[in-house]
mmCIF file of all heavy atoms in Angstrom:
data_model
loop_
_atom_site.group_PDB
_atom_site.id
_atom_site.type_symbol
_atom_site.label_atom_id
_atom_site.label_comp_id
_atom_site.label_asym_id
_atom_site.label_seq_id
_atom_site.Cartn_x
_atom_site.Cartn_y
_atom_site.Cartn_z
ATOM 1 N N ALA P 1146 -16.984 -13.763 -23.939
ATOM 2 C CA ALA P 1146 -17.224 -12.309 -23.634
ATOM 3 C C ALA P 1146 -16.065 -11.647 -23.125
ATOM 4 O O ALA P 1146 -15.723 -10.574 -23.380
ATOM 5 C CB ALA P 1146 -18.413 -12.215 -22.714
ATOM 6 N N THR P 1147 -15.298 -12.362 -22.204
ATOM 7 C CA THR P 1147 -14.172 -11.718 -21.655
ATOM 8 C C THR P 1147 -13.011 -11.548 -22.680
ATOM 9 O O THR P 1147 -12.284 -10.582 -22.672
ATOM 10 C CB THR P 1147 -13.536 -12.621 -20.457
ATOM 11 O OG1 THR P 1147 -13.324 -13.893 -20.877
ATOM 12 C CG2 THR P 1147 -14.561 -12.624 -19.290
ATOM 13 N N ILE P 1148 -12.891 -12.495 -23.604
ATOM 14 C CA ILE P 1148 -11.880 -12.355 -24.695
ATOM 15 C C ILE P 1148 -12.273 -11.146 -25.592
ATOM 16 O O ILE P 1148 -11.450 -10.345 -25.951
ATOM 17 C CB ILE P 1148 -11.776 -13.626 -25.510
ATOM 18 C CG1 ILE P 1148 -11.230 -14.776 -24.711
ATOM 19 C CG2 ILE P 1148 -10.994 -13.428 -26.804
ATOM 20 C CD1 ILE P 1148 -11.192 -16.103 -25.439
ATOM 21 N N LEU P 1149 -13.559 -11.064 -25.904
ATOM 22 C CA LEU P 1149 -13.932 -9.897 -26.734
ATOM 23 C C LEU P 1149 -13.760 -8.551 -26.032
ATOM 24 O O LEU P 1149 -13.311 -7.627 -26.618
ATOM 25 C CB LEU P 1149 -15.431 -10.066 -27.156
ATOM 26 C CG LEU P 1149 -15.712 -11.014 -28.265
ATOM 27 C CD1 LEU P 1149 -17.222 -11.133 -28.565
ATOM 28 C CD2 LEU P 1149 -14.952 -10.620 -29.567
ATOM 29 N N SER P 1150 -14.072 -8.554 -24.737
ATOM 30 C CA SER P 1150 -14.005 -7.288 -24.002
ATOM 31 C C SER P 1150 -12.487 -6.880 -23.812
ATOM 32 O O SER P 1150 -12.110 -5.715 -23.974
ATOM 33 C CB SER P 1150 -14.673 -7.356 -22.686
ATOM 34 O OG SER P 1150 -14.331 -8.451 -21.887
ATOM 35 N N ILE P 1151 -11.586 -7.881 -23.564
ATOM 36 C CA ILE P 1151 -10.148 -7.505 -23.470
ATOM 37 C C ILE P 1151 -9.660 -7.040 -24.828
ATOM 38 O O ILE P 1151 -8.905 -6.039 -24.859
ATOM 39 C CB ILE P 1151 -9.430 -8.742 -22.962
ATOM 40 C CG1 ILE P 1151 -9.620 -8.987 -21.554
ATOM 41 C CG2 ILE P 1151 -7.893 -8.567 -23.206
ATOM 42 C CD1 ILE P 1151 -9.033 -10.199 -20.902
ATOM 43 N N GLY P 1152 -10.023 -7.726 -25.916
ATOM 44 C CA GLY P 1152 -9.564 -7.214 -27.283
ATOM 45 C C GLY P 1152 -10.107 -5.929 -27.579
ATOM 46 O O GLY P 1152 -9.426 -5.066 -28.168
ATOM 47 N N ALA P 1153 -11.374 -5.572 -27.210
ATOM 48 C CA ALA P 1153 -11.989 -4.231 -27.473
ATOM 49 C C ALA P 1153 -11.254 -3.173 -26.671
ATOM 50 O O ALA P 1153 -10.944 -2.089 -27.298
ATOM 51 C CB ALA P 1153 -13.435 -4.279 -27.178
ATOM 52 N N VAL P 1154 -11.005 -3.415 -25.426
ATOM 53 C CA VAL P 1154 -10.326 -2.453 -24.628
ATOM 54 C C VAL P 1154 -8.901 -2.130 -25.139
ATOM 55 O O VAL P 1154 -8.537 -0.971 -25.287
ATOM 56 C CB VAL P 1154 -10.327 -2.812 -23.128
ATOM 57 C CG1 VAL P 1154 -9.433 -1.965 -22.258
ATOM 58 C CG2 VAL P 1154 -11.755 -2.786 -22.575
ATOM 59 N N ALA P 1155 -8.164 -3.244 -25.450
ATOM 60 C CA ALA P 1155 -6.852 -3.033 -25.955
ATOM 61 C C ALA P 1155 -6.829 -2.319 -27.324
ATOM 62 O O ALA P 1155 -5.996 -1.415 -27.589
ATOM 63 C CB ALA P 1155 -6.073 -4.373 -26.093
ATOM 64 N N THR P 1156 -7.731 -2.629 -28.091
ATOM 65 C CA THR P 1156 -7.862 -1.977 -29.431
ATOM 66 C C THR P 1156 -8.149 -0.511 -29.322
ATOM 67 O O THR P 1156 -7.634 0.384 -29.945
ATOM 68 C CB THR P 1156 -8.905 -2.702 -30.333
ATOM 69 O OG1 THR P 1156 -8.539 -3.995 -30.458
ATOM 70 C CG2 THR P 1156 -9.028 -1.982 -31.742
ATOM 71 N N PHE P 1157 -9.117 -0.220 -28.328
ATOM 72 C CA PHE P 1157 -9.621 1.177 -28.101
ATOM 73 C C PHE P 1157 -8.435 2.022 -27.602
ATOM 74 O O PHE P 1157 -8.206 3.075 -28.200
ATOM 75 C CB PHE P 1157 -10.755 1.122 -27.121
ATOM 76 C CG PHE P 1157 -11.232 2.510 -26.761
ATOM 77 C CD1 PHE P 1157 -11.937 3.275 -27.616
ATOM 78 C CD2 PHE P 1157 -10.968 3.084 -25.536
ATOM 79 C CE1 PHE P 1157 -12.401 4.583 -27.348
ATOM 80 C CE2 PHE P 1157 -11.411 4.301 -25.247
ATOM 81 C CZ PHE P 1157 -12.111 5.064 -26.057
ATOM 82 N N TYR P 1158 -7.725 1.522 -26.521
ATOM 83 C CA TYR P 1158 -6.678 2.449 -26.087
ATOM 84 C C TYR P 1158 -5.517 2.543 -26.976
ATOM 85 O O TYR P 1158 -4.811 3.525 -27.070
ATOM 86 C CB TYR P 1158 -6.258 2.129 -24.620
ATOM 87 C CG TYR P 1158 -5.371 0.828 -24.440
ATOM 88 C CD1 TYR P 1158 -4.066 0.916 -24.810
ATOM 89 C CD2 TYR P 1158 -5.958 -0.286 -23.909
ATOM 90 C CE1 TYR P 1158 -3.240 -0.210 -24.588
ATOM 91 C CE2 TYR P 1158 -5.074 -1.334 -23.674
ATOM 92 C CZ TYR P 1158 -3.799 -1.366 -24.044
ATOM 93 O OH TYR P 1158 -3.064 -2.444 -23.839
ATOM 94 N N SER P 1159 -5.252 1.451 -27.792
ATOM 95 C CA SER P 1159 -4.178 1.528 -28.778
ATOM 96 C C SER P 1159 -4.538 2.565 -29.913
ATOM 97 O O SER P 1159 -3.661 3.328 -30.302
ATOM 98 C CB SER P 1159 -3.864 0.161 -29.419
ATOM 99 O OG SER P 1159 -3.459 -0.747 -28.461
ATOM 100 N N ALA P 1160 -5.734 2.538 -30.377
ATOM 101 C CA ALA P 1160 -6.196 3.410 -31.440
ATOM 102 C C ALA P 1160 -6.199 4.842 -30.993
ATOM 103 O O ALA P 1160 -5.901 5.733 -31.661
ATOM 104 C CB ALA P 1160 -7.593 2.945 -31.988
ATOM 105 N N LEU P 1161 -6.688 5.027 -29.702
ATOM 106 C CA LEU P 1161 -6.794 6.403 -29.137
ATOM 107 C C LEU P 1161 -5.552 7.029 -28.758
ATOM 108 O O LEU P 1161 -5.253 8.183 -29.139
ATOM 109 C CB LEU P 1161 -7.780 6.381 -27.953
ATOM 110 C CG LEU P 1161 -8.473 7.600 -27.501
ATOM 111 C CD1 LEU P 1161 -9.371 8.042 -28.667
ATOM 112 C CD2 LEU P 1161 -9.307 7.312 -26.233
ATOM 113 N N GLY P 1162 -4.652 6.191 -28.085
ATOM 114 C CA GLY P 1162 -3.406 6.764 -27.595
ATOM 115 C C GLY P 1162 -2.120 6.439 -28.385
ATOM 116 O O GLY P 1162 -1.065 6.973 -28.083
ATOM 117 N N GLY P 1163 -2.262 5.563 -29.363
ATOM 118 C CA GLY P 1163 -1.116 5.142 -30.171
ATOM 119 C C GLY P 1163 -0.086 4.425 -29.400
ATOM 120 O O GLY P 1163 -0.357 3.756 -28.403
ATOM 121 N N ILE P 1164 1.151 4.453 -29.924
ATOM 122 C CA ILE P 1164 2.193 3.710 -29.211
ATOM 123 C C ILE P 1164 2.500 4.186 -27.898
ATOM 124 O O ILE P 1164 2.960 3.426 -27.016
ATOM 125 C CB ILE P 1164 3.482 3.750 -30.215
ATOM 126 C CG1 ILE P 1164 4.517 2.719 -29.695
ATOM 127 C CG2 ILE P 1164 4.037 5.101 -30.191
ATOM 128 C CD1 ILE P 1164 4.028 1.280 -29.852
ATOM 129 N N LYS P 1165 2.196 5.394 -27.600
ATOM 130 C CA LYS P 1165 2.405 5.957 -26.349
ATOM 131 C C LYS P 1165 1.560 5.297 -25.245
ATOM 132 O O LYS P 1165 1.999 4.921 -24.133
ATOM 133 C CB LYS P 1165 2.171 7.475 -26.305
ATOM 134 C CG LYS P 1165 2.725 8.286 -25.038
ATOM 135 C CD LYS P 1165 2.486 9.746 -25.162
ATOM 136 C CE LYS P 1165 3.004 10.465 -23.952
ATOM 137 N NZ LYS P 1165 2.838 11.869 -24.110
ATOM 138 N N ALA P 1166 0.333 5.121 -25.606
ATOM 139 C CA ALA P 1166 -0.562 4.422 -24.713
ATOM 140 C C ALA P 1166 -0.190 2.909 -24.474
ATOM 141 O O ALA P 1166 -0.255 2.369 -23.460
ATOM 142 C CB ALA P 1166 -2.040 4.387 -25.323
ATOM 143 N N VAL P 1167 0.393 2.270 -25.567
ATOM 144 C CA VAL P 1167 0.803 0.880 -25.480
ATOM 145 C C VAL P 1167 1.981 0.801 -24.568
ATOM 146 O O VAL P 1167 2.077 -0.084 -23.646
ATOM 147 C CB VAL P 1167 1.104 0.330 -26.834
ATOM 148 C CG1 VAL P 1167 1.768 -1.067 -26.753
ATOM 149 C CG2 VAL P 1167 -0.183 0.322 -27.692
ATOM 150 N N ILE P 1168 2.927 1.726 -24.714
ATOM 151 C CA ILE P 1168 4.142 1.783 -23.839
ATOM 152 C C ILE P 1168 3.821 1.902 -22.391
ATOM 153 O O ILE P 1168 4.266 1.226 -21.479
ATOM 154 C CB ILE P 1168 5.226 2.830 -24.333
ATOM 155 C CG1 ILE P 1168 5.717 2.340 -25.708
ATOM 156 C CG2 ILE P 1168 6.254 3.027 -23.319
ATOM 157 C CD1 ILE P 1168 6.569 3.397 -26.424
ATOM 158 N N TRP P 1169 2.887 2.902 -22.072
ATOM 159 C CA TRP P 1169 2.553 3.203 -20.737
ATOM 160 C C TRP P 1169 1.733 1.991 -20.128
ATOM 161 O O TRP P 1169 1.865 1.698 -18.880
ATOM 162 C CB TRP P 1169 1.740 4.434 -20.543
ATOM 163 C CG TRP P 1169 2.668 5.605 -20.503
ATOM 164 C CD1 TRP P 1169 2.842 6.573 -21.480
ATOM 165 C CD2 TRP P 1169 3.679 5.955 -19.436
ATOM 166 N NE1 TRP P 1169 3.809 7.443 -21.055
ATOM 167 C CE2 TRP P 1169 4.365 7.099 -19.863
ATOM 168 C CE3 TRP P 1169 3.955 5.371 -18.215
ATOM 169 C CZ2 TRP P 1169 5.299 7.661 -19.053
ATOM 170 C CZ3 TRP P 1169 4.905 5.918 -17.439
ATOM 171 C CH2 TRP P 1169 5.569 7.069 -17.869
ATOM 172 N N THR P 1170 0.967 1.307 -20.994
ATOM 173 C CA THR P 1170 0.214 0.206 -20.430
ATOM 174 C C THR P 1170 1.224 -0.973 -20.132
ATOM 175 O O THR P 1170 1.178 -1.657 -19.195
ATOM 176 C CB THR P 1170 -0.728 -0.372 -21.512
ATOM 177 O OG1 THR P 1170 -1.664 0.679 -21.808
ATOM 178 C CG2 THR P 1170 -1.493 -1.598 -21.046
ATOM 179 N N ASP P 1171 2.307 -1.146 -21.024
ATOM 180 C CA ASP P 1171 3.356 -2.126 -20.719
ATOM 181 C C ASP P 1171 4.092 -1.805 -19.448
ATOM 182 O O ASP P 1171 4.467 -2.716 -18.546
ATOM 183 C CB ASP P 1171 4.297 -2.196 -21.905
ATOM 184 C CG ASP P 1171 3.740 -2.906 -23.088
ATOM 185 O OD1 ASP P 1171 2.652 -3.572 -22.929
ATOM 186 O OD2 ASP P 1171 4.294 -2.846 -24.158
ATOM 187 N N VAL P 1172 4.414 -0.492 -19.260
ATOM 188 C CA VAL P 1172 5.016 -0.058 -18.002
ATOM 189 C C VAL P 1172 4.248 -0.338 -16.737
ATOM 190 O O VAL P 1172 4.780 -0.971 -15.786
ATOM 191 C CB VAL P 1172 5.413 1.430 -18.094
ATOM 192 C CG1 VAL P 1172 5.926 1.979 -16.699
ATOM 193 C CG2 VAL P 1172 6.435 1.710 -19.138
ATOM 194 N N PHE P 1173 2.933 0.013 -16.891
ATOM 195 C CA PHE P 1173 2.011 -0.291 -15.727
ATOM 196 C C PHE P 1173 1.921 -1.809 -15.463
ATOM 197 O O PHE P 1173 2.035 -2.281 -14.351
ATOM 198 C CB PHE P 1173 0.671 0.285 -16.108
ATOM 199 C CG PHE P 1173 -0.338 -0.001 -14.959
ATOM 200 C CD1 PHE P 1173 -0.323 0.652 -13.803
ATOM 201 C CD2 PHE P 1173 -1.370 -0.946 -15.152
ATOM 202 C CE1 PHE P 1173 -1.256 0.333 -12.762
ATOM 203 C CE2 PHE P 1173 -2.324 -1.254 -14.183
ATOM 204 C CZ PHE P 1173 -2.268 -0.568 -13.043
ATOM 205 N N GLN P 1174 1.867 -2.604 -16.513
ATOM 206 C CA GLN P 1174 1.778 -4.035 -16.426
ATOM 207 C C GLN P 1174 3.070 -4.624 -15.787
ATOM 208 O O GLN P 1174 2.995 -5.518 -14.847
ATOM 209 C CB GLN P 1174 1.506 -4.700 -17.777
ATOM 210 C CG GLN P 1174 1.459 -6.205 -17.698
ATOM 211 C CD GLN P 1174 1.170 -6.896 -19.075
ATOM 212 O OE1 GLN P 1174 1.268 -6.194 -20.081
ATOM 213 N NE2 GLN P 1174 0.930 -8.114 -19.054
ATOM 214 N N ALA P 1175 4.202 -4.107 -16.125
ATOM 215 C CA ALA P 1175 5.482 -4.580 -15.623
ATOM 216 C C ALA P 1175 5.528 -4.272 -14.135
ATOM 217 O O ALA P 1175 6.017 -5.058 -13.317
ATOM 218 C CB ALA P 1175 6.680 -4.032 -16.385
ATOM 219 N N VAL P 1176 5.134 -3.016 -13.840
ATOM 220 C CA VAL P 1176 5.240 -2.595 -12.348
ATOM 221 C C VAL P 1176 4.264 -3.489 -11.544
ATOM 222 O O VAL P 1176 4.616 -3.977 -10.448
ATOM 223 C CB VAL P 1176 4.807 -1.128 -12.214
ATOM 224 C CG1 VAL P 1176 4.577 -0.716 -10.799
ATOM 225 C CG2 VAL P 1176 5.933 -0.305 -12.806
ATOM 226 N N MET P 1177 3.086 -3.742 -12.040
ATOM 227 C CA MET P 1177 2.091 -4.541 -11.253
ATOM 228 C C MET P 1177 2.667 -6.088 -11.147
ATOM 229 O O MET P 1177 2.529 -6.640 -10.070
ATOM 230 C CB MET P 1177 0.743 -4.560 -12.011
ATOM 231 C CG MET P 1177 0.008 -3.328 -11.956
ATOM 232 S SD MET P 1177 -0.566 -3.031 -10.239
ATOM 233 C CE MET P 1177 0.474 -1.607 -9.813
ATOM 234 N N MET P 1178 3.203 -6.539 -12.244
ATOM 235 C CA MET P 1178 3.797 -7.952 -12.102
ATOM 236 C C MET P 1178 4.898 -7.952 -11.109
ATOM 237 O O MET P 1178 4.959 -8.957 -10.353
ATOM 238 C CB MET P 1178 4.280 -8.380 -13.501
ATOM 239 C CG MET P 1178 3.132 -8.626 -14.517
ATOM 240 S SD MET P 1178 3.635 -8.932 -16.205
ATOM 241 C CE MET P 1178 4.648 -10.456 -16.085
ATOM 242 N N LEU P 1179 5.793 -7.003 -11.151
ATOM 243 C CA LEU P 1179 6.883 -6.965 -10.206
ATOM 244 C C LEU P 1179 6.334 -6.868 -8.793
ATOM 245 O O LEU P 1179 6.863 -7.498 -7.853
ATOM 246 C CB LEU P 1179 7.918 -5.830 -10.513
ATOM 247 C CG LEU P 1179 9.108 -5.710 -9.781
ATOM 248 C CD1 LEU P 1179 9.978 -7.021 -9.797
ATOM 249 C CD2 LEU P 1179 9.964 -4.533 -10.090
ATOM 250 N N ALA P 1180 5.393 -5.957 -8.545
ATOM 251 C CA ALA P 1180 4.840 -5.770 -7.237
ATOM 252 C C ALA P 1180 4.114 -7.038 -6.759
ATOM 253 O O ALA P 1180 4.376 -7.428 -5.570
ATOM 254 C CB ALA P 1180 3.789 -4.624 -7.231
ATOM 255 N N GLY P 1181 3.460 -7.666 -7.643
ATOM 256 C CA GLY P 1181 2.820 -8.985 -7.269
ATOM 257 C C GLY P 1181 3.826 -10.023 -6.918
ATOM 258 O O GLY P 1181 3.628 -10.754 -5.901
ATOM 259 N N LEU P 1182 4.854 -10.108 -7.699
ATOM 260 C CA LEU P 1182 6.033 -11.100 -7.489
ATOM 261 C C LEU P 1182 6.650 -10.868 -6.089
ATOM 262 O O LEU P 1182 6.807 -11.772 -5.321
ATOM 263 C CB LEU P 1182 6.946 -11.020 -8.560
ATOM 264 C CG LEU P 1182 8.203 -11.956 -8.407
ATOM 265 C CD1 LEU P 1182 7.758 -13.413 -8.513
ATOM 266 C CD2 LEU P 1182 9.275 -11.621 -9.385
ATOM 267 N N LEU P 1183 6.897 -9.526 -5.794
ATOM 268 C CA LEU P 1183 7.542 -9.186 -4.541
ATOM 269 C C LEU P 1183 6.575 -9.504 -3.430
ATOM 270 O O LEU P 1183 7.031 -10.015 -2.412
ATOM 271 C CB LEU P 1183 7.922 -7.739 -4.564
ATOM 272 C CG LEU P 1183 9.193 -7.430 -5.393
ATOM 273 C CD1 LEU P 1183 9.440 -5.947 -5.430
ATOM 274 C CD2 LEU P 1183 10.359 -8.061 -4.786
ATOM 275 N N ALA P 1184 5.289 -9.266 -3.620
ATOM 276 C CA ALA P 1184 4.365 -9.490 -2.461
ATOM 277 C C ALA P 1184 4.214 -10.991 -2.164
ATOM 278 O O ALA P 1184 4.245 -11.420 -1.024
ATOM 279 C CB ALA P 1184 2.931 -8.966 -2.918
ATOM 280 N N VAL P 1185 4.252 -11.845 -3.215
ATOM 281 C CA VAL P 1185 4.197 -13.325 -2.995
ATOM 282 C C VAL P 1185 5.523 -13.768 -2.259
ATOM 283 O O VAL P 1185 5.432 -14.578 -1.366
ATOM 284 C CB VAL P 1185 3.989 -14.010 -4.314
ATOM 285 C CG1 VAL P 1185 4.219 -15.526 -4.239
ATOM 286 C CG2 VAL P 1185 2.668 -13.807 -4.855
ATOM 287 N N VAL P 1186 6.628 -13.303 -2.802
ATOM 288 C CA VAL P 1186 7.938 -13.735 -2.204
ATOM 289 C C VAL P 1186 8.045 -13.274 -0.713
ATOM 290 O O VAL P 1186 8.479 -14.044 0.134
ATOM 291 C CB VAL P 1186 9.113 -13.236 -2.980
ATOM 292 C CG1 VAL P 1186 10.418 -13.306 -2.200
ATOM 293 C CG2 VAL P 1186 9.154 -13.810 -4.345
#
């Protein structure tokens, strides 16, 4: 169920927002990963 929901959400925002949505999602993900890494360190 979690695999299907992640796939559905990613497909939905990619179809709705196109490459711009994908790029902003990648930017958000990179910022969150960097913030998490800095918090742990």
Side-chain angles (χ1 to χ4, degrees):
T1147 57
I1148 290 173
L1149 282 178
S1150 47
I1151 287 173
V1154 168
T1156 303
F1157 177 73
Y1158 75 74
S1159 297
L1161 202 61
I1164 193 68
K1165 192 174 182 180
V1167 173
I1168 290 171
W1169 277 110
T1170 302
D1171 287 346
V1172 169
F1173 177 73
Q1174 181 182 10
V1176 168
M1177 288 293 110
M1178 288 170 60
L1179 184 61
L1182 177 68
L1183 286 174
V1185 168
V1186 168

